[in-house]
Amino acid sequence: MKKILFILGLASLLVTGCGDFFDTAPSNKIPTTMAFRTVTDVDNAVNGLYDLMSGSGYYGAAMFAYGDMKGDDMQSSEESGVCNTCYMFNHRPNSLNAGSLWGRPFYILREAWNILNAIAEGKIESGDEKKLNALKGETMAVIALCQFDLTRCFGYPYTKDKGASLGAPLIDHLVGTYENPPRSTVAQAYDFIIETLEEAVTLMSEEKNNGRMNKYAARALLARVYLYHNDNRKAFDMAEQLIKDVDASGSYALYPHEKYVAAWSVETKFGSESFFEIANSVDDTPGRDSWGYLLNWYGYQKGFVTQKYAEQMLADPGDVRGQLLEENKYAGKTVWWLYKLRGTDMKTVPLECNNVVLRLSEVYLIAAEAGCKLGGDAAVQGLGYLNEIVKRGNPDNEVTMADYTLDRVLDERSKELVGEGHRFFDLLRNGKTIVRKGGYHLPSVDEEVDWDFYKCVLPIPEDQFIFSPEMEQNPGYPKN
């Protein structure tokens, strides 16, 4: 392993505030100084972007801990590690305590723009132009995902002020050695993310490539981005058309009720729902720093579901998703552990589970949420998509139009997507209050959190101000 050689001031923050994570770049990646000559070189370099994503400080664990531990469905079990610091909102400019959610996406962006620049300058030998265009689109989709994550972690939700507040620096070109881009507004970032994804979709292939994004994955991400951007018509249309297209192609399908639990076993990777998973293997995995190992009772025992979530699921014994919870003791208390990421059985500690980033169930729920907000015919269709997920959980259940509300959709997102890094963002972007009290909750930073709490966004790390002293800090945080 070798330390990353930093060129960007932004990327040099990769190891700043990493908490429990030590970030290095894999030594088998093509260096940025090496010219890309062939389509195979580009393919290998794009594959390297996903390897950078898989570190525990990003999609290996931290991105999921941030989205789940800060919500009301999961909580930290111990007063240490990324789970606890996210749960406690213990973020400071001199210690981000949120994995590498600043430095790692920026480093990936730098590498991705090197790839796009090589393609744009015609440095790639003539070959399979269709494949090269698909790789260009895939690189753009990775850029959009990284910029989206930076925006939602370091900027307030678009829905709070229509994106007028500042987000992260916008990396929309190959950044020079001494160039340090300023923070953009959240609105500017979303314009870039959407434009980039919309173009990427036109270039990408529909062919499955396990562990990497294809056209279907990029469309699923675009539907999510539209929803966060409060463009409910585009979110609904994109989600609905994607559902129809995958159904017609037979490429993807919802996990059936009777196979739902088995679909989460380590033996069932890249299942029928999965658009994009972070691929792990026995010899290429974050190991004991992985999200699955952190959550496992037989692993590090760093987090379990809240009493609110457990009671919600256990109240309906017919809901198959409740079978992913297991009762066990912790510190003398009976608690419920989430086994979405598990080995061949509940007692096998997972080290190489894949982490799901985009899957078909979320697309159904995007259509349901957007349809509810739009009303009219979209609501009729949206209710149908919601019930596909509800009835898959328990075939005896069904939501009526009278009960089809935003809160009911968010409840279903909670049941379906727990452990996948959504709950905090779902509540925040909808202007909801996150209530965290009662039962066996640890003492938390506050019993109620909303988008007016300054720590609902991360601080800009203090080292950034060495490179950009004029850059503004997020409200409420000091610069050091």
Side-chain angles (χ1 to χ4, degrees):
M1 303 294 283
K2 65 179 181 181
K3 293 263 184 95
I4 294 170
L5 297 177
F6 304 111
I7 294 179
L8 268 177
L10 290 168
S12 69
L13 295 169
L14 182 59
V15 296
T16 298
C18 289
D20 292 343
F21 300 104
F22 178 71
D23 254 311
T24 56
S27 59
N28 61 345
K29 301 299 170 285
I30 296 176
T32 56
T33 54
M34 183 182 294
F36 300 106
R37 297 184 180 89
T38 68
V39 174
T40 299
D41 289 341
V42 175
D43 191 29
N44 289 336
V46 173
N47 193 58
L49 301 177
Y50 296 105
D51 198 87
L52 288 169
M53 262 188 214
S54 70
S56 56
Y58 194 17
Y59 272 106
M63 197 69 215
F64 301 103
Y66 190 85
D68 278 303
M69 293 295 165
K70 294 168 77 85
D72 60 353
D73 287 343
M74 299 192 71
Q75 73 157 82
S76 171
S77 59
E78 297 180 351
E79 296 181 4
S80 64
V82 70
C83 290
N84 181 262
T85 53
C86 286
Y87 175 73
M88 295 293 290
F89 289 73
N90 186 20
H91 310 302
R92 303 183 302 276
N94 63 356
S95 184
L96 200 60
N97 287 329
S100 302
L101 298 185
W102 176 264
R104 182 52 63 108
F106 279 127
Y107 188 81
I108 296 169
L109 286 167
R110 173 200 153 191
E111 296 300 302
W113 277 108
N114 272 299
I115 295 169
L116 290 188
N117 189 63
I119 296 173
E121 292 187 352
K123 294 180 179 179
I124 312 304
E125 297 172 2
S126 59
D128 188 340
E129 291 300 316
K130 183 177 180 181
K131 176 69 178 291
L132 185 60
N133 277 334
L135 289 169
K136 177 182 176 181
E138 191 176 353
T139 304
M140 294 172 70
V142 170
I143 286 171
L145 176 58
C146 290
Q147 197 73 58
F148 174 61
D149 290 336
L150 287 165
T151 301
R152 60 182 179 151
C153 288
F154 292 91
Y156 291 101
Y158 178 87
T159 44
K160 181 179 182 181
D161 56 7
K162 294 187 177 179
S165 55
L166 293 175
L170 180 58
I171 311 302
D172 59 0
H173 62 286
L174 181 62
V175 178
T177 303
Y178 302 106
E179 181 183 356
N180 289 289
R183 296 178 70 185
S184 70
T185 66
V186 168
Q188 289 169 332
Y190 271 102
D191 287 346
F192 167 77
I193 293 163
I194 290 169
E195 180 181 355
T196 301
L197 273 175
E198 287 177 342
E199 182 178 352
V201 165
T202 68
L203 299 171
M204 295 174 75
S205 168
E206 293 180 351
E207 184 179 349
K208 283 187 177 181
N209 192 354
N210 289 342
R212 293 169 58 162
M213 284 192 280
N214 63 3
K215 185 189 293 280
Y216 292 120
R219 291 171 65 188
L221 177 59
L222 184 52
R224 183 195 292 180
V225 171
Y226 283 146
L227 194 68
Y228 276 62
H229 192 238
N230 205 34
D231 195 335
N232 295 305
R233 171 48 63 185
K234 285 187 176 180
F236 180 83
D237 289 347
M238 176 61 69
E240 181 178 52
Q241 191 59 53
L242 180 53
I243 291 167
K244 291 178 179 178
D245 288 348
V246 298
D247 182 61
S249 70
S251 301
Y252 302 89
L254 292 177
Y255 300 136
H257 172 86
E258 64 277 8
K259 295 182 179 180
Y260 188 83
V261 174
W264 293 99
S265 168
V266 70
E267 295 179 328
T268 315
K269 296 183 177 184
F270 310 112
S272 66
E273 280 202 17
S274 182
F275 290 126
F276 174 40
E277 296 181 10
I278 297 294
N280 290 312
S281 63
V282 175
D283 58 355
D284 186 12
T285 170
R288 287 174 172 81
D289 285 330
S290 66
W291 185 225
Y293 200 91
L294 292 177
L295 295 185
N296 198 291
W297 189 88
Y298 299 92
Y300 275 159
Q301 305 182 348
K302 292 293 186 180
F304 44 77
V305 301
T306 60
Q307 185 174 12
K308 184 273 298 183
Y309 183 84
E311 289 177 349
Q312 171 182 255
M313 296 309 303
L314 298 174
D316 184 4
D319 193 325
V320 69
R321 294 168 295 191
Q323 295 178 29
L324 291 172
L325 302 180
E326 184 182 68
E327 182 181 20
N328 220 317
K329 293 287 186 180
Y330 183 81
K333 299 177 181 177
T334 298
V335 298
W336 292 88
W337 301 83
L338 179 65
Y339 285 93
K340 251 184 178 175
L341 297 174
R342 58 187 177 83
T344 52
D345 55 52
M346 294 293 194
K347 294 184 179 181
T348 302
V349 184
L351 290 174
E352 68 277 7
C353 286
N354 287 356
N355 294 339
V356 178
V357 180
L358 294 160
R359 66 182 177 101
L360 185 56
S361 283
E362 183 195 351
V363 177
Y364 275 76
L365 290 165
I366 289 171
E369 181 178 337
C372 180
K373 291 174 177 177
L374 289 168
D377 290 343
V380 175
Q381 295 165 293
L383 177 59
Y385 292 124
L386 178 64
N387 274 319
E388 290 283 347
I389 302 301
V390 170
K391 294 175 72 66
R392 190 265 303 277
N394 183 345
D396 293 331
N397 292 344
E398 188 170 14
V399 179
T400 66
M401 185 59 77
D403 293 328
Y404 179 35
T405 64
L406 175 59
D407 286 338
R408 180 63 185 85
V409 175
L410 293 178
D411 283 346
E412 200 60 34
R413 285 183 64 92
S414 164
K415 294 176 182 179
E416 182 62 36
L417 302 176
V418 64
E420 298 176 54
H422 292 274
R423 183 63 173 173
F424 174 66
F425 297 114
D426 285 348
L427 294 175
L428 206 65
R429 64 184 172 79
N430 280 295
K432 300 291 185 180
T433 298
I434 301 164
V435 179
R436 311 193 308 169
K437 58 185 176 183
Y440 44 69
H441 267 82
L442 288 173
S444 64
V445 66
D446 207 332
E447 292 184 341
E448 297 186 359
V449 171
D450 60 23
W451 64 22
D452 290 325
F453 178 48
Y454 77 99
K455 285 191 174 183
C456 75
V457 296
L458 289 169
I460 306 302
E462 66 173 3
D463 285 359
Q464 180 57 38
F465 302 115
I466 297 172
F467 306 103
S468 304
E470 303 304 318
M471 184 175 286
E472 291 186 41
Q473 178 60 279
N474 272 326
Y477 290 107
K479 282 193 171 183
N480 52 46

